[in-house]
Amino acid sequence: MRFISCLVLTLLVASPAFANVTGNARIVDGDTIHIGKTKIRLHGIDAPESKQTCTADGKVWPCGQEATQALVEAISDQSVTCKGDKRDRYKRLLAVCYVGNINLNAMMVSNGWDLAYRKYSADVVDDEAVAEKARVGLWRGEFEKPWEWRRSKR
């Protein structure tokens, strides 16, 4: 009996923290949402920070705020389902999130609001190429990659 208890405990500790979370989302920024008490980071993508600006046609525009607004509009009060099995250092669930069968992570990148976060995943690299070629979202002008912008603000 003791062996079985130890085996069960080992499996529980070793297994990933897989989670499917479904519900109404509160959008924090272009790559982070909350569903209930669960904080979720959209896996494999990186959005400009809320205070980040970009330039297009010689004018500065609030690209971080617009990326957040793009996610707000994509979700549009619909139920969101997020699937993930890891957490980041801030204890956010790293997940791919969906509205119906629309992959929000890929959609945000293909519309040019987020970048593929190659350091963590190559899942949406092709979507980024589509956005860059179409010159949509961030790609319509000049911008600093979000991870570089954050580094410069430290």
Side-chain angles (χ1 to χ4, degrees), residues 119-140:
K119 179 177 179 181
Y120 299 103
S121 173
D123 291 350
V124 293
V125 170
D126 291 342
D127 297 294
E128 183 179 276
V130 168
E132 183 176 12
K133 184 175 181 181
R135 301 194 53 76
V136 295
L138 303 172
W139 297 101
R140 70 181 190 228

Side-chain angles (χ1 to χ4, degrees), residues 21-148:
V21 181
T22 300
N24 294 325
R26 183 173 68 80
I27 293 80
V28 176
D29 60 26
D31 58 24
T32 307
I33 65 173
H34 294 173
I35 297 176
K37 293 182 180 182
T38 305
K39 297 176 182 181
I40 302 160
R41 170 68 191 257
L42 278 64
H43 174 68
I45 69 175
D46 199 12
E49 296 298 320
S50 296
K51 294 181 181 178
Q52 190 171 343
T53 59
C54 300
T55 57
D57 300 320
K59 296 180 181 175
V60 175
W61 60 284
C63 56
Q65 291 175 16
E66 288 196 27
T68 301
Q69 187 59 36
L71 188 55
V72 167
E73 291 172 11
I75 292 173
S76 184
D77 294 325
Q78 299 174 80
S79 182
V80 177
T81 297
C82 297
K83 301 175 182 184
D85 64 0
K86 292 186 171 86
R87 296 201 177 255
D88 67 8
R89 64 182 174 171
Y90 304 109
K91 297 189 173 38
R92 296 175 297 190
L93 178 66
L94 298 171
V96 177
C97 297
Y98 301 85
V99 168
N101 59 4
I102 297 170
N103 177 329
L104 292 171
N105 303 42
M107 186 225 48
M108 288 295 289
V109 173
S110 64
N111 288 335
W113 296 114
D114 290 36
L115 299 180
Y117 209 173
R118 290 168 173 81
K119 179 177 179 181
Y120 299 103
S121 173
D123 291 350
V124 293
V125 170
D126 291 342
D127 297 294
E128 183 179 276
V130 168
E132 183 176 12
K133 184 175 181 181
R135 301 194 53 76
V136 295
L138 303 172
W139 297 101
R140 70 181 190 228
E142 296 177 16
F143 63 91
E144 190 172 9
K145 293 175 180 171
W147 52 90
E148 292 172 356

